[in-house]
Amino acid sequence: MRVVRALSAALLTLGLAAAPAAADSSPSPSQDASDTSAPTRAGTSFRTAAEIEQGQRATASGSTGDYLYWSFPADTGQRPTVGATVELPDTHAAQTWQIDVYDGLRRRQACQYGAQTRTAAADATSVELACVLRTVRAWSEPWANDPLPGTYYVRLTATGVAASDLGLPVDSEVRVDSRDIGGSAAVDGSLAEPLVPGAATRSGDEEESSAVLAGLEPEDGWASGRWSDRWVWTAVGGALAALAGVAGYALTRGSGRPSRVPPAA
């Protein structure tokens, strides 16, 4: 009976530990689409990329053939999803549009899945693109191309455009959301600093001017190398292993002492 009670307590502990892990796997909260702080323009290069928060719906007007850039922060354990919609002019030829994502070192990041490139027919009014990145890791080998915490850049452009369509006006919309993967993506190690381009410089003894090229960061700050629910699962696994050992010993030991063998006559 005591063994059953101990196992029940262990299962209850496991359920309590699993609750925050399940919460971590839920999508990040979305902001109101009518948020006036969302940018209404896009940059034309990495240095002039318009900064957006995750959950914001950024819009921009441009011309067919332009390169449009946005940047957003992504932290450890997040799996960002970048979506873009391009409203095409009334009259146009077939066009191929593409969305690319780069990290803070300007390394192009591969998409796990999603329609990263699409061709719009001549009668299409819009085209939708999507790119689901790999999970952001806290640390990686120098030679690897794994996503790391820091600033990410989104580049939207038309790669296949007829000469007659160059310069035609288009409206674009970009949104970034992410899913928190949690401790299942945790690794041993962390970066000293997130990959945020730019540097802080001092002007005189009293003033401090910022030359940071990307100033946005996650709402709760950068979490690289901090607490992970991986530790919770490790502790719960150790506790269950110990309880299983105790239960096995109790079952094999028996409930009473062996009877004494009567002496021989």
Side-chain angles (χ1 to χ4, degrees), residues 8 33 44 70 78 87 101 107 109 113 116 151 164 199 217 226 233 241-242 244:
S8 301
T44 56
W70 294 266
Q78 293 184 337
E87 299 293 337
V101 183
R107 302 176 303 180
Q109 293 295 316
Y113 48 88
Q116 183 181 8
T151 300
S164 58
E217 64 178 39
R226 294 184 187 173
W233 289 108

Side-chain angles (χ1 to χ4, degrees), residues 146-191:
D146 296 321
L148 295 171
T151 300
Y152 283 77
Y153 295 92
V154 180
R155 185 179 72 182
L156 176 65
T157 189
T159 59
V161 182
S164 58
D165 284 352
L166 290 175
L168 292 179
V170 293
D171 293 322
S172 59
E173 181 180 283
V174 171
R175 182 185 176 94
V176 180
D177 294 291
S178 69
R179 180 175 293 275
D180 292 326
I181 302 304
S184 61
V187 296
D188 295 328
S190 62
L191 297 181

Side-chain angles (χ1 to χ4, degrees), residues 16-144:
L16 294 176
D24 287 343
S25 64
S26 60
S28 57
S30 301
Q31 299 182 8
D32 190 352
S34 61
D35 186 3
T36 57
S37 64
T40 56
R41 63 171 187 83
T44 56
S45 67
F46 287 101
R47 293 182 61 87
T48 61
E51 295 183 336
I52 59 174
E53 296 277 6
Q54 292 192 24
Q56 280 186 324
R57 194 182 303 274
T59 58
S61 298
S63 300
T64 306
D66 289 347
Y67 286 94
L68 304 178
Y69 287 83
W70 294 266
S71 67
F72 66 93
D75 204 3
T76 301
Q78 293 184 337
R79 181 178 294 168
T81 298
V82 182
T85 302
V86 182
E87 299 293 337
L88 303 173
D90 296 335
T91 304
H92 62 86
Q95 299 179 1
T96 299
W97 285 81
Q98 181 170 315
I99 188 171
D100 296 298
V101 183
Y102 300 82
D103 65 8
L105 298 179
R106 300 185 184 180
R107 302 176 303 180
R108 185 175 179 273
Q109 293 295 316
C111 300
Q112 276 192 315
Y113 48 88
Q116 183 181 8
T117 302
R118 270 189 172 174
T119 299
D123 58 347
T125 59
S126 64
V127 59
E128 294 185 359
L129 306 167
C131 174
V132 180
L133 297 176
R134 295 171 294 166
T135 303
V136 178
R137 296 161 57 91
W139 180 85
S140 176
E141 295 287 350
W143 46 261

